[in-house]
Amino acid sequence: MEVRTILTIAASDCSAGAGIQQDLKTITALGHYGATAITALTAQNTCGVRDVMEVPAPFFRRQLEALVEDLSIDAVKIGVVPNREIAEAVSETVERLGVPAVLDPVLASTSGWQFLDETCIEYIKERLIPLCTLVTPNIPEALRLLGSKALTSDTGRQLARRFGTSFLLKGGHGEGTDAVDWLFTKDGEALPYSLPRVDTHNLHGTGCTLSSAIATLLATGLSLTESVRLAKLKTQEGIRRGKGLSIGKGNGPLWLGQG
């Protein structure tokens, strides 16, 4: 098997359940190589985010320059982009590389920490999202990107039409015994991906796992629909295996390791 290189652009999670750390675990679990460009440092644990320190934009650019000059990058996964200057550097790099790019638009943490200001969000909407192969918002993020207050049967299609790219609308915030994600492609298709919900509070890093898995699978040459299907199964496996973990006092992590 040829090892692919996936660049993850995201924040660091010192509790290692999400962000850069979880991206690297996911990429490695799928048998490929992860490189990182860190956008911010966070002081957080399983109970929530306590503080965020953004990486200075010039230094962030130096990270990207060093990686692009040396590594052959096959796909990009994007997480927290905390300000416009960093968003500009990310957009320039994605455009330059011309490889599959998956954006997990982390607008706020589960505990309520707001990672982006409105100026940055508007830039991401107008410049970065159209450059991406896939965007993976949860329901609150999708509504914020669309400027809507209520989810409708047309929300996903509206997103794909407006931004000219494919969206995976995640159903984790929904209700029912099954968690249903919908893939709305830029070509107008709407495809459901349904898996049984797992009764667990250990869901920290679910979005990071899913998006980095999709990016990794796209890097191998799989189609978007097949990459989403297999990434969903890998994420579900991590949720099931992490159900019995007792790591921290709050929202624990998935488990992609051995055993």
Side-chain angles (χ1 to χ4, degrees):
M1 181 186 73
E2 183 178 355
V3 174
R4 304 292 185 176
T5 298
I6 293 81
L7 168 59
T8 169
I9 300 171
S12 168
D13 172 3
C14 60
S15 71
I20 286 286
Q21 289 84 343
Q22 185 64 11
D23 292 344
L24 288 177
K25 293 176 193 176
T26 303
I27 295 164
T28 302
L30 289 168
H32 295 277
Y33 185 80
T36 67
I38 299 176
T39 61
L41 306 178
T42 68
Q44 66 173 293
N45 54 32
T46 63
C47 297
V49 178
R50 297 186 177 185
D51 204 356
V52 176
M53 183 173 69
E54 298 175 5
V55 171
F59 184 79
F60 175 73
R61 282 185 176 273
R62 293 294 289 166
Q63 292 182 75
L64 292 176
E65 291 166 2
L67 294 171
V68 171
E69 287 172 6
D70 184 45
L71 303 183
S72 178
I73 295 167
D74 299 294
V76 180
K77 179 264 171 164
I78 307 160
V80 171
V81 181
N83 59 57
R84 176 162 176 158
E85 287 181 291
I86 287 179
E88 289 173 353
V90 173
S91 300
E92 292 164 12
T93 300
V94 169
E95 187 169 34
R96 174 182 176 184
L97 290 172
V99 299
V102 178
L103 171 63
D104 182 16
V106 184
L107 306 183
S109 70
T110 302
S111 60
W113 188 284
Q114 299 295 314
F115 287 115
L116 288 73
D117 62 28
E118 287 300 324
T119 301
C120 184
I121 292 173
E122 288 304 311
Y123 181 85
I124 288 172
K125 287 164 62 175
E126 298 306 318
R127 176 65 176 148
L128 180 56
I129 288 178
L131 292 172
C132 292
T133 308
L134 179 70
V135 184
T136 64
N138 57 34
I139 293 171
E141 290 164 346
L143 293 177
R144 190 168 178 186
L145 289 174
L146 198 57
S148 177
K149 294 182 179 179
L151 182 70
T152 71
S153 60
D154 202 39
T155 295
R157 289 184 179 86
Q158 288 178 327
L159 285 165
R161 284 197 301 265
R162 175 173 176 180
F163 295 104
T165 193
S166 299
F167 276 76
L168 182 66
L169 187 55
K170 298 181 292 190
H173 285 73
E175 299 178 351
T177 57
D178 291 344
V180 184
D181 295 354
W182 281 87
L183 175 62
F184 297 90
T185 72
K186 64 180 180 180
D187 299 321
E189 289 186 283
L191 304 170
Y193 294 81
S194 179
L195 289 172
R197 290 186 189 275
V198 179
D199 184 16
T200 177
H201 65 276
N202 290 340
L203 297 169
H204 185 49
T206 303
C208 302
T209 304
L210 179 62
S211 55
S212 56
I214 295 171
T216 302
L217 293 163
L218 286 171
T220 69
L222 290 177
S223 68
L224 178 59
T225 54
E226 184 67 0
S227 295
V228 171
R229 185 185 73 83
L230 293 175
K232 283 276 296 176
L233 291 173
K234 188 66 176 179
T235 304
Q236 181 81 342
E237 175 191 349
I239 294 172
R240 285 200 308 266
R241 294 177 67 190
K243 179 179 178 180
L245 288 180
S246 181
I247 296 177
K249 301 174 183 177
N251 183 21
L254 283 63
W255 184 249
L256 298 174
Q258 299 297 315

